[in-house]
Every structure is written in structure tokens, then in C-alpha cells.
Amino acid sequence: MTALAVLGVLLGGLTGCGDGGGVGGASAVVAPAATGRSPVPVRSPSHAAPAAPPTLALGPGGLTPVFSHGPRTGGKVVALTFDADMTAAEGARAAAGEHFDNPALIALLRERKVPATVFMTGRWAEEYPDQARSIGADPLFEVANHSYSHYAFKSPCYGLPTVSGPDMRADAARAADAFRKAGVVRTVPYFRFPGGCYDNTSLRALAPERMTAVQWDVVGGDAFATDADAVAAQVLSGVRPGSLVVMHCTRSAAPVTVDAVRRVVPELRRRGYHFVRVSDLIRAATA
């Protein structure tokens, strides 16, 4: 963990996207503990949800609900999710030639007809608007909110800078605004905390947005990895019916993801699994 924290500082904070740093466990629906406070008033959310994808109800105390995996008895389905990470401070690195995108990964998913959910930061959408718009226009995918800045919503969190409590909702709303400006049309009202780190303060801050926080039960381990076979083996050893896998869509900090996915997809299909989006898992959990 110490090594990962150092890498997170040096490489812009991608570390932790594949490690569960939140307060909830890996259950299908993690209900936040009651806090004794009155429910958060519901105001108009900033995200676009034209297709009315399913969400979970607010938890006790009006906290944002947390979802970690789908039903274990609903058949062999698995959702692959990819975090498109870029922090608010990494523009100079992108201008110098560092690649925070991964078009080869998106092309592979399209070629193999693999549905997926991309958790995108607003800063990534600003840097790669054409790619963001293309992903958002493809019915194979759905785009979810990964914050604007990729700063932590709970401290400590793998060395990431921290968003203060009063600014958390504004950061998420800023990401949604970046999606709209880029022309992303298939957004869903789901939020992934940077680093997976959250607490009741952050769950309460985001509650007016009426989003469902999405964690995972399988860590891909592709961040900073150099061995695609090891990443694939980690995913394949962890997947169960209803699993939700976290990986990355960031070439510079997750360079072997494409090769790992190229191994994972046919093997899971051989085992009888079908790929779905996060919205499909949540719909099954709430049916």
C-alpha cells in the first residue's frame, strides 16, 4: 500500500481506482449506516438521464446508496467497468504527449461486442471530447460520473488531493457539465468515487444528485501493471455471477489492459458468462 500511495502521488492519482477504499463491503447493495440526521432535501440533479436508468433509493439518513455487485442467483452475468482517469492538474502532461486515453481498448470492446460502463472524469472528457462523444453515442456503452478532478472524496486516499465537503457536489456536477459540453448523450446517474474512497460525509454531499455510488467486487489490478496475463488471471479468479469488475481506460498508467481484456473476454464466454452494463446489474437487483 505504501508503494501504491507513492505511485499515486507521482503518477497523478490513478492508484486506488481498483482497490476498495470505501466504508462499505462487497455486497449487492451496501446500505449506509443511519446517522440520525434528517434526509437530505432532493433538488434537481445535474446529470442527464434521458433513458431513466435504474437507481437505488437513498439509504438511511438520506445518504447516497452504494452498489457493489448484482444478484448472485440471476445467471452468469458480469459487468466490466473502466475508469477513464485524468486529474484536473494533468493537462500539461497530456500536452507533452502522455496518453490518458485508450482508443485501442474501446475498439476491442466494439470488435468483440462487449457492453461496458465507462466511469469518466470531467477532465478526461475535456481532453478527449471526440472520444467521449463517440463512447457516449454508442449503445454498447454507458458513461458514468467519476468526478471532475479525480481528487479524493475522503482522506486519506492513496495520496490523492482531497475535495472538501462543501465542494463535493459541485465537483460531480462539473463533470456532468463537461459531458454535456463534449456532446456525451448516454450518461447514467452513477458515481464512482476516486480511489473508491468514501464516507458518510461524501455520501451525504452527493445525495441531492440522486446518483447511485458504484463500487466493485473484482479488482482488475491493471493500474501500473506490466503483466497482462497476471491481470487476466486476477480477474478470472474473482468473477462470480453478478460480478462488477473495475479496470482502467488510461494508456499511460494501465498499459496492459487491452491485452488483459483480450484474454478475459473469450475465457469468460467459454465459462458461460454474458457481459452486461452496470445499469443491467442494478435493474436485476431492483426487479
Side-chain angles (χ1 to χ4, degrees):
M1 278 302 165
T2 301
L4 284 177
V6 171
L7 281 170
V9 173
L10 295 177
L11 296 178
L14 181 66
T15 310
C17 284
D19 251 330
V23 298
S27 58
V29 177
V30 183
T35 62
R37 299 195 179 195
S38 300
V40 176
V42 177
R43 296 182 288 273
S44 296
S46 64
H47 58 75
T55 56
L56 303 180
L58 291 175
L63 301 185
T64 296
V66 181
F67 183 82
S68 296
H69 62 73
R72 297 303 190 190
T73 57
K76 283 190 168 184
V77 296
V78 58
L80 299 184
T81 70
F82 298 92
D83 291 355
D85 293 344
M86 186 173 181
T87 74
E90 289 176 335
R93 289 166 56 181
E98 186 169 348
H99 296 288
F100 296 92
D101 61 341
N102 196 337
L105 171 64
I106 301 301
L108 176 65
L109 295 173
R110 285 172 168 153
E111 175 192 332
R112 303 295 171 90
K113 296 179 172 56
V114 179
T117 303
V118 178
F119 285 86
M120 190 180 294
T121 66
R123 185 64 188 87
W124 194 98
E126 289 178 346
E127 189 68 30
Y128 305 107
D130 292 343
Q131 292 187 54
R133 183 165 53 253
S134 175
I135 294 169
D138 192 331
L140 196 63
F141 307 125
E142 59 190 12
V143 174
N145 195 317
H146 194 31
S147 81
Y148 174 81
S149 61
H150 202 261
Y151 290 172
F153 282 55
K154 173 182 175 287
S155 184
C157 182
Y158 307 104
L160 291 173
T162 305
V163 178
S164 66
D167 296 330
M168 291 177 182
R169 185 185 179 191
D171 187 89
R174 187 179 179 188
D177 187 55
F179 300 158
R180 283 191 292 269
K181 290 179 179 177
V184 180
V185 295
R186 295 180 63 86
T187 61
V188 287
Y190 308 142
F191 186 85
R192 174 163 286 165
F193 288 100
C197 303
Y198 66 91
D199 55 16
N200 281 356
T201 297
S202 49
L203 293 176
R204 187 175 299 109
L206 292 185
E209 289 294 300
R210 296 305 293 249
M211 293 190 286
T212 294
V214 175
Q215 295 287 95
W216 52 81
D217 68 316
V218 178
V219 177
D222 59 332
F224 312 116
T226 57
D227 186 340
D229 288 332
V231 172
Q234 182 163 316
V235 172
L236 293 170
S237 67
V239 167
R240 300 165 57 195
S243 277
L244 204 161
V245 182
V246 59
M247 300 180 77
H248 296 85
C249 184
T250 311
R251 256 186 292 178
S252 61
V256 301
T257 305
V258 175
D259 289 337
V261 171
R262 191 174 284 114
R263 291 160 173 75
V264 164
V265 167
E267 176 57 24
L268 285 178
R269 282 178 168 159
R270 188 190 69 79
R271 296 180 187 182
Y273 279 91
H274 299 280
F275 295 99
V276 299
R277 293 169 289 267
V278 169
S279 59
D280 300 311
L281 287 186
I282 295 179
R283 184 174 291 107
T286 56

